């Protein structure tokens, strides 16, 4: 089942922003339900996306039911009963498809398989029954549903009865807790499913949990603001009464000496396509290699693009993130021991380019990309104009994201055994520098903190610890030609503060509220893949 979007309601209630937000949230759930209904439910890949879409729909309606519908007095589709019904309905449809996915992946019928199926049938049956009970409990909602589409109630009734019968037939298969295994066997996936699961895992484990909202808002090509010539930010005509700031500088004309801009690692050219295609032919078959051929070409293209030196900082960051997601998709296929000429990754040290590492290990590639993501974020922060609130906030977001990337870099760098810039000591040094710079920005007048001098000692201590790491052992020799030692020496002596705040914060806080609503569990990792042209190529096969 799926929903059609809400039509505009011409009434005085439109004046209330709560109704507007509730209606938009409803339509987000409706769109997700339509995406789920449009996916193929007969193939593993189609079900994979349909499950994510229905999960998203359920989460949007849950948010609507729990938060926004309470304060809205509008049409019946925004009542508490109906929004709760929709939450249960789409949760049930996602669970039903997940059960079908499990049934199709199981080759051997075992007691454990029968146990899990029995529990799944029981769970799905309960969700459909609760949804139907809610619809029939409220006469106004029941009449509304019947007038809209009488098949809804028939559909729910059929689903409830089918899964209830199946659950009863399998009741005896439910194992006692003492007989249930603590671990489960890994499901065998097709190559295409491995690729899709690899990206979903990447999004779930690697992407920042707290999204850099200001950074994305200001620098995205879809931003409601525009960065004009000379780094001037101009607001779109939103009919806001004056006075309204129309020339706000975000990007400075020259990098700030108060921020450390970490240099990027460089890499040699790599022909991903030939070696990977050969692997899929040898490991699987020519038909499998043909089915993923489009993906391999895009992966090769993405690697070339992320190496381009002429990209602007925010576009370079976007390319690195996209390449990392696609790189995670092939991680499970490494090491490629069956290929005569597996891919050889060659990366140079960011601080000492004379040092080079060449490996077949995909963790070197992955660690280098994550390092560059952290580095590019420090460069964005360094390029910001810290004398106004917009530049200050973008710099803060950029440094917070850089901190995230260097944090997740540690475990993967240990598996790479590469150049000095990927050692634990170097990563720890960079993390302390970034933490100190974040603390400095928090002391500025643009920050919510009071900017008192009590924070000076911890910042100096962080710089001191970073300096101690940088001057010890092989890392000290590796950094000799870089600007890091001089930067740390000056930072231990001085601190930088910035100027006054700005009323544009009203817009930015509203944007952050909307992003927070969407990202607080209302979106599953893989659904956005449907807009990726590469996914279209995979789903065609």
């Amino acid at each position: 089942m799926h929903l059609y979007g809400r039509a505009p309601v011409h009434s005085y209630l439109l004046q209330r922003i709560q109704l507007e937000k509730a209606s938009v949230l409803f339509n987000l759930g409706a769109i997700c339900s339509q995406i789920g209904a449009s996916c193929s439910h007969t193939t593993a890949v189609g079900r994979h996306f349909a499950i994510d879409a229905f999960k998203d729909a359920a989460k949007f309606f849950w948010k609507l039911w729990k938060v926004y519908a309470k304060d809205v007095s509008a049409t019946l589709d925004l009542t508490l009963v109906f929004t709760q019904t929709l939450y249960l309905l789409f949760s049930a449809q996602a669970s039903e498809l997940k059960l079908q996915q499990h049934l199709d992946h199981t080759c051997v019928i075992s007691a454990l398989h029968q146990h899990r199926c029995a529990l799944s049938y029981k769970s799905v049956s309960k969700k459909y029954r609760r949804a139907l009970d809610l619809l029939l409990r409220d006469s106004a909602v029941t009449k509304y549903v019947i007038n809209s589409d009488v098949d809804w109630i028939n559909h729910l009734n059929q689903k409830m009865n089918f899964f209830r019968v199946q659950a009863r037939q399998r009741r005896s298969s439910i194992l006692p807790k003492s007989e249930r295994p603590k671990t489960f066997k890994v499901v065998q996936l097709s190559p295409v499913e491995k690729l899709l699961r690899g990206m979903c895992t990447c999004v779930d484990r690697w992407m920042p949990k707290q999204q850099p909202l200001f950074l994305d808002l200001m620098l995205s090509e879809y931003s409601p603001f525009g960065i004009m010539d000379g780094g001037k930010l101009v607001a779109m005509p939103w009919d806001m009464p004056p006075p309204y700031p129309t020339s706000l500088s975000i990007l400075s004309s020259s990098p700030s000496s108060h921020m450390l801009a970490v240099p990027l690692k460089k890499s040699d050219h790599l022909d991903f396509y030939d070696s990977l295609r050969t692997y899929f032919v040898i490991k699987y078959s020519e038909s499998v290699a043909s089915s993923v051929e489009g993906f391999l070409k895009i992966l090769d293209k993405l690697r070339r693009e992320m190496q381009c030196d002429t990209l602007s900082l925010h576009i370079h960051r976007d390319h690195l993130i996209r390449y990392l997601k696609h790189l995670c998709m092939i991680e499970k296929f490494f090491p490629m021991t069956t290929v005569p000429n597996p891919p050889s990754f060659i990366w140079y040290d960011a601080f000492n380019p004379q040092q080079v590492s060449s490996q077949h290990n995909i963790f070197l590639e992955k660690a280098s990309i994550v390092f560059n993501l952290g580095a590019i974020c420090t460069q964005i922060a360094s390029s910001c104009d810290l004398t106004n609130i917009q530049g200050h906030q973008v710099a803060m977001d950029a440094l917070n994201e850089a901190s995230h990337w260097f944090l997740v870099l540690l475990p993967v760098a240990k598996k790479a055994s590469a150049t000095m810039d990927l050692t634990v000591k170097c990563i720890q040094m960079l993390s302390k520098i970034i933490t100190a710079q974040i603390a400095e920005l928090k002391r500025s007048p643009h920050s919510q903190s009071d900017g008192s001098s009590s924070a000076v000692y911890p910042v100096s201590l962080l710089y001191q610890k970073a300096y101690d790491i940088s001057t010890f052992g092989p890392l000290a020799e590796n950094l000799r030609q870089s600007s890091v030692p001089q930067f740390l020496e000056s930072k231990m002596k001085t601190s930088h503060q910035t100027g006054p705040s700005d009323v544009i914060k009203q817009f930015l806080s509203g944007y952050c509220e909307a992003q927070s609503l969407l990202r607080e569990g209302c979106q599953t990792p893989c659904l956005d893949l449907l807009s990726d042209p590469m996914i279209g190529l995979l789903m065609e096969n």
Side-chain angles (χ1 to χ4, degrees):
M1 293 179 65
H2 67 274
L3 298 174
Y4 297 100
R6 283 175 55 83
V9 182
H10 299 288
S11 71
Y12 73 97
L13 290 174
L14 281 176
Q15 299 173 9
R16 298 179 57 188
I17 192 66
Q18 196 76 354
L19 173 60
E20 186 79 358
K21 291 166 74 173
S23 299
V24 171
L25 202 59
F26 183 100
N27 281 356
L28 282 168
I31 287 293
C32 289
S33 74
Q34 293 174 23
I35 293 173
S38 67
C39 293
S40 171
H41 296 176
T42 59
T43 65
V45 176
R47 283 194 297 267
H48 183 92
F49 286 110
I51 290 170
D52 265 6
F54 287 134
K55 281 183 178 179
D56 272 3
K59 289 172 183 176
F60 280 124
F61 287 117
W62 181 89
K63 196 76 173 181
L64 187 58
W65 164 45
K66 286 292 187 179
V67 179
Y68 292 93
K70 292 180 179 180
D71 300 322
V72 173
S73 177
T75 47
L76 283 170
D77 54 355
L78 291 180
T79 58
L80 290 173
V81 172
F82 193 67
T83 52
Q84 184 184 3
T85 301
L86 295 178
Y87 157 67
L88 292 170
L89 170 61
F90 294 115
S91 178
Q93 291 188 169
S95 298
E96 179 183 347
L97 289 176
K98 192 172 182 179
L99 171 60
Q100 186 60 49
Q101 200 86 309
H102 174 68
L103 292 172
D104 285 0
H105 277 307
T106 304
C107 300
V108 179
I109 305 300
S110 62
L112 175 60
H113 165 76
Q114 293 176 341
H115 163 80
R116 296 179 70 180
C117 286
L119 291 179
S120 297
Y121 276 110
K122 182 179 178 181
S123 174
V124 175
S125 173
K126 282 185 176 180
K127 290 177 180 177
Y128 278 123
R129 178 175 56 80
R130 288 177 61 196
L132 182 61
D133 288 347
L134 279 172
L135 278 183
L136 298 178
R137 185 184 305 167
D138 191 307
S139 58
V141 172
T142 304
K143 183 178 179 181
Y144 169 76
V145 171
I146 292 175
N147 291 337
S148 300
D149 189 348
V150 69
D151 290 336
W152 269 53
I153 294 179
N154 294 334
H155 171 82
L156 284 173
N157 198 42
Q158 290 173 2
K159 288 287 188 180
M160 180 195 69
N161 289 331
F162 171 78
F163 283 97
R164 182 171 57 187
V165 170
Q166 294 295 322
R168 285 178 177 174
Q169 291 176 352
R170 290 168 168 77
R171 187 181 301 168
S172 60
S173 300
I174 299 178
L175 299 173
K177 289 186 177 180
S178 59
E179 298 180 18
R180 299 175 189 177
K182 295 182 179 180
T183 58
F184 298 96
K185 293 182 180 180
V186 178
V187 176
Q188 294 297 318
L189 303 175
S190 70
V192 171
E193 289 176 283
K194 283 184 179 180
L195 292 173
L196 295 174
R197 182 163 293 191
M199 185 182 283
C200 292
T201 302
C202 173
V203 173
D204 187 48
R205 295 181 182 177
W206 286 80
M207 297 300 110
K209 302 301 180 186
Q210 296 296 325
Q211 294 292 331
L213 305 181
F214 290 98
L215 183 61
D216 287 337
L217 172 66
M218 294 299 186
L219 301 183
S220 170
E221 60 180 309
Y222 303 110
S223 170
F225 302 94
I227 297 179
M228 312 303 288
D229 291 341
K232 297 299 181 180
L233 181 69
V234 180
M236 293 297 184
W238 287 350
D239 296 327
M240 178 180 177
Y244 186 78
T246 56
S247 58
L248 307 170
S249 177
I250 286 185
L251 301 182
S252 177
S253 57
S254 59
S256 171
S257 60
H258 304 287
M259 295 284 176
L260 177 66
V262 179
L264 297 176
K265 291 176 67 66
K266 303 295 183 182
S267 175
D268 284 353
H269 172 71
L270 170 66
D271 186 359
F272 244 160
Y273 174 77
D274 288 338
S275 56
L276 290 180
R277 195 184 191 287
T278 301
Y279 167 81
F280 280 102
V281 171
I282 295 175
K283 177 72 174 180
Y284 298 100
S285 65
E286 176 64 36
S287 62
V288 170
S290 298
S291 70
V292 299
E293 189 168 0
F295 162 74
L296 300 182
K297 289 180 179 179
I298 290 179
L299 181 68
D300 194 54
K301 176 175 176 287
L302 288 173
R303 194 181 195 278
R304 291 196 306 271
E305 288 177 346
M306 69 90 187
Q307 290 180 279
C308 182
D309 294 328
T310 59
L311 298 173
S312 63
L313 292 176
H314 67 284
I315 292 179
H316 200 161
R317 166 181 168 266
D318 291 344
H319 279 12
L320 285 167
I321 289 175
R322 192 174 180 211
Y323 178 63
L324 175 63
K325 291 178 180 179
H326 287 71
L327 188 66
C328 289
M329 294 177 74
I330 62 167
E331 182 179 340
K332 294 297 183 183
F333 298 99
F334 279 79
M336 294 185 172
T337 54
T338 58
V339 181
N341 297 304
S344 181
F345 306 107
I346 301 174
W347 285 91
Y348 297 86
D349 190 285
F351 302 102
N352 184 7
Q354 284 72 38
Q355 278 199 12
V356 61
S357 179
S358 176
Q359 300 180 21
H360 299 302
N361 184 359
I362 194 173
F363 288 111
L364 172 60
E365 181 85 349
K366 196 171 182 179
S368 300
I369 297 304
V370 175
F371 181 97
N372 278 357
L373 276 166
I376 207 76
C377 287
T378 66
Q379 293 181 20
I380 291 174
S382 177
S383 69
C384 289
D385 183 350
L386 301 181
T387 62
N388 64 67
I389 190 172
Q390 289 77 37
H392 175 275
Q393 191 60 63
V394 171
M396 180 71 80
D397 261 9
L399 288 177
N400 278 320
E401 185 174 315
S403 177
H404 163 81
W405 291 121
F406 285 117
L407 177 65
V408 299
L409 174 60
L410 270 173
V412 71
K414 291 178 181 178
K415 301 177 183 179
S417 302
T419 46
M420 188 61 62
D421 56 352
L422 292 180
T423 59
V424 172
K425 289 296 183 183
C426 186
I427 298 169
Q428 288 176 342
M429 176 199 70
L430 294 173
S431 295
K432 291 186 184 302
I433 291 174
I434 292 167
T435 302
Q437 291 180 151
I438 292 172
E440 277 192 297
L441 289 181
K442 286 181 178 179
R443 290 165 44 206
S444 80
H446 296 315
S447 175
Q448 293 294 327
S449 68
D450 58 9
S452 64
S453 60
S454 61
V456 172
Y457 175 73
V459 171
S460 300
L461 183 60
L462 286 167
Y463 281 127
Q464 181 64 57
K465 289 182 177 180
Y467 181 77
D468 292 343
I469 296 174
S470 72
T471 55
F472 182 77
L475 181 59
E477 181 64 28
N478 196 63
L479 296 174
R480 188 181 298 275
Q481 301 300 320
S482 74
S483 61
V484 174
Q486 294 82 358
F487 172 83
L488 289 172
E489 287 175 358
S490 66
K491 273 298 186 180
M492 286 186 293
K493 299 175 182 178
T494 61
S495 63
H496 179 68
Q497 295 186 351
T498 53
S501 65
D502 198 298
V503 294
I504 198 67
K505 199 169 185 178
Q506 299 284 344
F507 277 118
L508 301 182
S509 62
Y511 175 82
C512 290
E513 181 186 349
Q515 290 285 38
S516 175
L517 168 64
L518 294 177
R519 286 167 174 154
E520 280 180 359
C522 283
Q523 285 180 301
T524 45
C526 290
L527 192 57
D528 285 343
L529 295 182
L530 288 173
S531 62
D532 194 311
M534 180 274 298
I535 299 301
L537 294 172
L538 291 178
M539 295 185 70
E540 290 175 0
N541 296 284

